[in-house]
Amino acid sequence: DKKQIREGVLSTDFGPEAFLQQLQHLEQAAGRQRPYRNAPRTLDLDILLWGHAQLNTPNLTVPHPRMRE
């Protein structure tokens, strides 16, 4: 069972927290559930970078702490 990974670059008028909420809404619409931390997922949308910003909030860390894994 091989993971398919797709990457992309997007431009948005949303701020990072609002954009994260939009990504999570798309995940939910695709049927993603979060029964426990790091559960297997059908769709995983992450913010890896936000320009040159460094963010560390309860909901969002940028650069993404595991983006090089």
Side-chain angles (χ1 to χ4, degrees):
D1 212 10
K2 192 174 183 178
K3 276 187 184 181
Q4 290 187 6
I5 297 175
R6 305 277 190 252
E7 296 179 4
V9 176
L10 301 174
S11 177
T12 180
D13 291 330
F14 288 108
E17 292 273 352
F19 189 62
L20 177 63
Q21 288 177 348
Q22 294 299 312
L23 293 178
Q24 290 172 341
H25 177 75
L26 291 172
E27 290 175 337
Q28 281 185 306
R32 176 166 180 187
Q33 298 178 9
R34 297 172 183 261
Y36 55 90
R37 184 173 171 82
N38 296 322
R41 38 205 171 267
T42 54
L43 180 62
D44 184 24
L45 300 173
D46 292 315
I47 298 173
L48 303 180
L49 297 168
W50 195 268
H52 296 287
Q54 292 187 3
L55 306 167
N56 191 6
T57 72
N59 299 314
L60 181 61
T61 301
V62 174
H64 192 287
R66 294 178 303 283
M67 78 176 184
R68 299 200 189 276
E69 291 179 5

